Amino acid sequence: MEKRTEFYFKLILVAYLILGTVYALNTPVFEASDELWHYPMIRHLADGNPLPVQVFDPALAGPWKQEASQPPLYYYLGAALTFWVDASDMEAVRWENPHVDNGVITADGNINLIVHDPALNPWQGALLAVRIVRLFSVLLGAVTVYFTYKIAQLTWPEREDVVLGATAVLAFTPMFLFISGAVNNDNLIIPLAAIVLYLLIWLIKRPTREQKLWRWQFDSEFKFLAVFSILVGIIIGAASLTKLSGIGLLPLVFGTFVIYEWQKSDRRWSFLALGRWVIRALGFFLIVVAMALAIAGWWYIRNVQLYDDWRGWTAFIAVLGQRAHPASLRQLWAERWGFMLSYWGLFGGVNVPMNLWIYHLLNGVVVTAVLGFPVAVYRLLSGEKREERRERREEVVTVLSSINDFLALIFSTVERHFGLVIALLWSGAVVYGIVDWATITWSSQGRLVFSALPSLNILMMIGLVGWLPVRYGQRVTQLLAGFIFLIALLAPFVWIRPAYQHQFESLDQITSPLDIVFGEQIQLSHYQIVGSQAIDFVPTPNDVIVLETEWDVLAETDRNWSVFVHLNDPAIGKPIAQRDMYLGQGLLATSFLEQGDKISNRYVLQIPKTAVSPAELELVIGLYDFRTDERLPTATGEFQFLERIPLHSVASTIPNATAVNFEDEIELQGFELSDRSVPAGGLVELTLYFKALRPLTADYTFFTQLVDSDTTRWGAVDLPASVPTSQWNEGETQTVQLNFEIREDAPANVYPLIIGMYTQTETGEFNRLQIITEDGRPTDDFLNLTLL
């Protein structure tokens, strides 16, 4: 069976290498998660520059953005591989799409982080350098696959289905392949962590007590442990110089040394003996720490000197951005769907998904594994021979008479199943770290737990098949591995590559030709509003308007024009919904186009949930230069009016009826404004209609603010309800009147009007209620109500 297992493992490894290369070569450059910012760090170092200092202003952060706060080992390795490549064209290649929907799954594309010039040679300059680092990352992923296999063998060697299943699922997870085929420092921390875990488990589970480390034979235990500690310290130092999570391996090392010392003592337990084990373990542990500090310590000292923060988090977060207030566990739990999307495979700038049924199926596998895990662990714990089980039962009986024997039983169980213990501890530590990080930043992404991916996959396969008879477990493993391999094989060609290829869809058989010319350069030849011809199409707030267009290129240009589509409200003369993008769903800059080219584009406009209605909206379209705001004129002006779209009210006795849930406490039912064109110094009269979703115990204060883009308040008021909210009857409509004057010095403009509610603690802190989305996710603690 061992030879068969080795054969299948080699097949998995070869398949991974082929797939990883396919991902590396087929994913457009800089369209992988954060590659747009990771590679400039490599280029900067490859050009012989010192490490950049992270500035706290996102506008001045440089092309690496927040990645300048990351430990630099991966970037140094990438620089060593590509220093000889002339990548002076990097900025030309990194032509950022100014309108991209980064991290957002859209219905009309515009997901490309980069505008890709088809004239560039993919095998020279920055494009070549990126591909070299990508292929290096694929090899690092192969190291991860290998050590996942080795760890699984030490964890449950009797179960071939668990060993091969964990290895195959990791190797073929689409997101792991996607990241492995990208420039990303995760590709170094994952194998380094896996190597450390393997060494720790091997130290406890090695079949003999001989002092041999690979081909090195030692004549004393001290020399063996010293060299082992130096080796582990070097790897942890490298891991800590790759990502902060590498430091989290140190507690596992100390615990491993304590278990090792217990083994040496012939498993004779006493508290005095425990003290001796801890002291001896501490000695070798300090060797590990010393080696790790020698390699990575300078980086953390540098962080203290530059940022007064050994982790560098303050600088990182200043550029990355953070939540308005720390997320609760409820909010993080509500973000689990997006977390699992990016665990299994959410490509591009986390905005190119696979078919949704794939995620549901794979998530079902995870749920099954979680439910089966306790049963599988019981089977694993009771998997000794009959004589050994009898001895364990006798040990359990002894527990009742001696605390020492009880602790000895704990140590004995940990020793026998050390691989499982290490997998649980490391997975738990990584998940805890990500949860802690996600409470501060908007980073609920499953790929961020990949440093524990070998452990997580081993645990998943134990839970999935460990409780089944071997023959059934093998079948389940084969089905899962075959399915995920098929998905991994299809992903580059079915979801990733097509997302960056423009598909022309002609409208000339559907609509009549138009003669709307912009600047004698480009003509809007056809358009249609999807659904506008249907008898029952009556848009109301929260509906979607879809505009489909066809364009003809009349002349070549060296300017890059963006298209804007606005749904204007004449009452304020401003759009309540808009969509801006390059042509071809964001993929085609106009400087790429040639005379005679035809391009199609669709624009999805979301009418706000709180749009004032009824109203007669105006749909307009135009082109402009994003850098200068210059518009490309038509014969009638700076934009083209297309249609009037009547916006109907939702059927209700409450004006501007809506349903906005504030933390399952209070629901906004509607609102009314006396005027939407109030001048500076004028009075805004706002009536809000609420209902209690449950009996309330707190008395909330309601606020409204007229705010500028820089958060300047041009008008505001905070008032309690006339009837305290603690006296509201559940489900009964209540009225809250919030009137305020606009400041005399307010510039003539249109501003967002926001509302919310809060309580104030005895210490003066304000606790705002968060909005709960329809799918149960807590989001902002204010509502952008309308424009004034």
Side-chain angles (χ1 to χ4, degrees):
M1 185 178 78
E2 185 175 342
K3 288 184 178 180
R4 183 182 67 179
T5 305
E6 282 292 326
F7 173 75
Y8 284 131
F9 162 69
K10 290 176 182 177
L11 282 181
I12 292 169
L13 186 59
V14 170
Y16 160 79
L17 287 168
I18 294 172
L19 285 173
T21 303
V22 168
Y23 278 74
L25 298 181
N26 277 274
T27 302
V29 167
F30 297 136
E31 296 294 355
S33 302
D34 296 343
E35 186 176 70
L36 184 64
W37 303 297
H38 284 298
Y39 176 72
M41 281 289 292
I42 292 174
R43 185 70 259 151
H44 182 76
L45 298 175
D47 288 339
N49 298 304
L51 286 169
V53 176
Q54 182 73 75
V55 300
F56 285 70
D57 184 350
L60 303 175
W64 36 74
K65 295 291 182 68
Q66 69 276 3
E67 306 305 344
S69 303
Q70 293 262 36
L73 180 57
Y74 178 80
Y75 307 127
Y76 276 123
L77 293 175
L81 289 169
T82 59
F83 71 92
W84 55 274
V85 178
D86 178 9
S88 56
D89 62 344
M90 184 188 73
E91 287 308 314
V93 175
R94 285 181 77 258
W95 178 357
E96 296 186 51
N97 177 3
H99 310 296
V100 63
D101 293 298
N102 192 5
V104 180
I105 300 173
T106 66
D108 57 356
N110 204 33
I111 50 82
N112 53 300
L113 298 166
I114 291 296
V115 180
H116 301 277
D117 188 343
L120 293 175
N121 185 337
W123 296 105
Q124 70 178 24
L127 292 174
L128 172 62
V130 169
R131 285 181 165 86
I132 290 172
V133 181
R134 283 183 170 188
L135 293 174
F136 167 64
S137 297
V138 171
L139 295 178
L140 291 175
V143 176
T144 300
V145 174
Y146 174 79
F147 279 98
T148 299
Y149 172 71
K150 301 300 288 185
I151 293 170
Q153 279 188 316
L154 291 176
T155 301
W156 203 342
E158 298 84 4
R159 291 298 298 258
E160 181 190 51
D161 50 347
V162 171
V163 174
L164 291 177
T167 307
V169 171
L170 177 139
F172 304 146
T173 294
M175 196 66 179
F176 174 67
L177 286 161
F178 182 69
I179 295 298
S180 295
V183 178
N184 194 303
N185 59 353
D186 285 346
N187 291 314
L188 185 55
I189 185 62
I190 302 171
L192 289 175
I195 294 170
V196 171
L197 298 186
Y198 169 75
L199 288 172
L200 298 182
I201 299 168
W202 172 84
L203 181 66
I204 301 302
K205 300 292 290 183
R206 58 203 171 105
T208 66
R209 300 294 296 172
E210 64 177 352
Q211 313 306 321
K212 186 176 181 181
L213 192 59
W214 284 289
R215 296 182 180 181
W216 305 329
Q217 183 70 48
F218 299 92
D219 56 10
S220 72
E221 181 185 46
F222 177 82
K223 291 180 181 178
F224 165 75
L225 282 179
V227 172
F228 180 88
S229 300
I230 291 171
L231 177 61
V232 171
I234 290 172
I235 300 172
I236 291 181
S240 302
L241 198 57
T242 302
K243 293 201 82 168
L244 185 66
S245 56
I247 298 174
L249 293 163
L250 288 172
L252 297 181
V253 175
F254 181 71
T256 300
F257 283 150
V258 172
I259 296 295
Y260 179 84
E261 292 296 331
W262 175 76
Q263 284 182 321
K264 283 170 49 182
S265 68
D266 296 327
R267 300 165 178 81
R268 295 177 182 175
W269 174 274
S270 71
F271 282 103
L272 182 60
L274 176 62
R276 290 196 299 269
W277 305 336
V278 169
I279 291 172
R280 287 199 293 263
L282 185 60
F284 291 107
F285 176 69
L286 290 177
I287 295 176
V288 175
V289 173
M291 292 305 303
L293 284 174
I295 293 172
W298 66 271
W299 168 257
Y300 296 95
I301 293 172
R302 178 180 183 269
N303 285 342
V304 173
Q305 293 173 338
L306 291 176
Y307 316 121
D308 197 27
D309 173 12
W310 68 273
R311 299 173 299 182
W313 275 16
T314 52
F316 192 99
I317 293 173
V319 177
L320 177 66
Q322 64 186 95
R323 298 176 188 260
H325 51 76
S328 63
L329 290 178
R330 175 188 177 183
Q331 182 166 353
L332 294 180
W333 176 249
E335 295 169 6
R336 66 191 182 279
W337 174 247
F339 181 91
M340 294 307 296
L341 289 184
S342 61
Y343 178 91
W344 293 117
L346 187 56
F347 312 114
V350 287
N351 55 12
V352 179
M354 301 183 288
N355 292 354
L356 293 184
W357 67 266
I358 296 172
Y359 302 107
H360 288 299
L361 182 58
L362 292 174
N363 288 345
V365 170
V366 173
V367 172
T368 302
V370 170
L371 295 175
F373 186 76
V375 182
V377 169
Y378 173 79
R379 178 167 181 171
L380 179 61
L381 293 177
S382 60
E384 301 99 352
K385 296 178 182 179
R386 182 178 302 174
E387 295 79 7
E388 292 174 335
R389 290 202 298 270
R390 186 184 304 114
E391 292 177 5
R392 300 304 166 205
R393 284 195 295 269
E394 291 173 357
E395 289 177 0
V396 172
V397 172
T398 311
V399 167
L400 299 176
S401 60
S402 170
I403 185 64
N404 281 348
D405 290 334
F406 171 72
L407 295 174
L409 178 62
I410 297 296
F411 266 59
S412 176
T413 303
V414 169
E415 177 204 14
R416 292 199 314 277
H417 306 291
F418 196 66
L420 178 61
V421 172
I422 286 289
L424 285 168
L425 290 176
W426 180 238
S427 298
V430 171
V431 170
Y432 174 81
I434 295 305
V435 168
D436 184 48
W437 178 246
T439 60
I440 303 170
T441 65
W442 291 97
S443 55
S444 295
Q445 295 185 32
R447 69 178 183 86
L448 297 181
V449 301
F450 276 12
S451 55
L453 198 58
S455 298
L456 289 168
N457 275 279
I458 291 169
L459 295 175
M460 184 179 74
M461 291 309 300
I462 288 174
L464 187 65
V465 302
W467 52 278
L468 293 171
V470 173
R471 65 181 184 277
Y472 294 124
Q474 289 176 338
R475 292 174 185 172
V476 171
T477 298
Q478 290 165 1
L479 285 172
L480 177 59
F483 172 76
I484 204 166
F485 171 79
L486 179 61
I487 297 302
L489 181 62
L490 292 175
F493 310 106
V494 174
W495 297 292
I496 299 175
R497 196 71 190 179
Y500 304 98
Q501 296 173 333
H502 173 250
Q503 302 293 327
F504 174 70
E505 297 179 9
S506 177
L507 299 178
D508 59 6
Q509 300 298 319
I510 304 173
T511 64
S512 300
L514 303 171
D515 187 21
I516 302 173
V517 177
F518 293 85
E520 305 300 324
Q521 296 177 21
I522 190 166
Q523 175 181 336
L524 177 61
S525 54
H526 298 271
Y527 84 87
Q528 68 168 342
I529 300 174
V530 176
S532 63
Q533 304 304 317
I535 296 175
D536 58 350
F537 181 73
V538 181
T540 58
N542 207 36
D543 277 346
V544 167
I545 299 292
V546 180
L547 173 67
E548 295 183 344
T549 60
E550 182 180 328
W551 304 82
D552 289 327
V553 178
L554 304 180
E556 295 181 11
T557 178
D558 58 359
R559 299 284 293 274
N560 291 300
W561 300 100
S562 302
V563 177
F564 68 84
V565 179
H566 290 175
L567 199 57
N568 290 335
D569 186 342
I572 55 174
K574 290 286 185 177
I576 62 168
Q578 71 180 75
R579 201 77 173 104
D580 293 38
M581 68 173 76
Y582 282 160
L583 289 171
Q585 309 308 139
L587 297 168
L588 301 177
T590 51
S591 60
F592 297 164
L593 304 177
E594 299 179 354
Q595 183 178 355
D597 284 348
K598 289 182 175 292
I599 306 101
S600 58
N601 226 107
R602 64 197 304 264
Y603 307 90
V604 177
L605 293 94
Q606 176 74 53
I607 301 174
K609 191 174 185 177
T610 57
V612 175
S613 59
E616 193 80 9
L617 305 179
E618 297 174 345
L619 184 67
V620 302
I621 193 169
L623 288 91
Y624 73 104
D625 188 322
F626 178 80
R627 295 173 301 173
T628 65
D629 283 334
E630 177 188 349
R631 292 194 175 185
L632 195 61
T634 69
T636 57
E638 292 187 335
F639 59 85
Q640 177 65 42
F641 169 81
L642 295 181
E643 284 192 22
R644 296 190 187 279
I645 298 180
L647 180 66
H648 294 247
S649 299
V650 176
S652 174
T653 58
I654 297 175
N656 298 304
T658 187
V660 181
N661 179 352
F662 286 86
E663 219 160 296
D664 295 330
E665 292 266 299
I666 296 173
E667 180 182 87
L668 174 67
Q669 294 184 289
F671 68 96
E672 190 171 14
L673 279 164
S674 58
D675 192 355
R676 296 184 68 203
S677 57
V678 181
L683 179 66
V684 176
E685 298 180 36
L686 173 64
T687 305
L688 301 172
Y689 299 88
F690 293 103
K691 72 174 179 181
L693 296 175
R694 61 186 179 194
L696 304 177
T697 57
D699 288 323
Y700 289 100
T701 298
F702 296 84
F703 70 86
T704 185
Q705 301 170 5
L706 199 64
V707 294
D708 210 335
S709 57
D710 61 359
T711 70
T712 300
R713 297 182 188 178
W714 297 116
V717 66
D718 295 48
L719 290 172
S722 56
V723 178
T725 54
S726 60
Q727 299 177 24
W728 287 8
N729 295 322
E730 182 179 352
E732 184 177 292
T733 300
Q734 301 286 344
T735 302
V736 175
Q737 190 72 37
L738 297 177
N739 299 340
F740 65 92
E741 291 185 355
I742 300 177
R743 282 168 42 180
E744 294 280 358
D745 59 341
N749 207 338
V750 174
Y751 300 105
L753 182 69
I754 68 173
I755 66 165
M757 60 209 71
Y758 64 87
T759 57
Q760 189 171 7
T761 65
E762 294 180 358
T763 60
E765 295 180 351
F766 294 92
N767 293 326
R768 288 188 181 184
L769 290 184
Q770 289 181 267
I771 295 172
I772 307 298
T773 62
E774 293 180 0
D775 58 358
R777 292 181 296 106
T779 56
D780 294 326
D781 56 9
F782 66 91
L783 172 66
N784 198 329
L785 186 67
T786 188
L787 295 171
L788 283 183

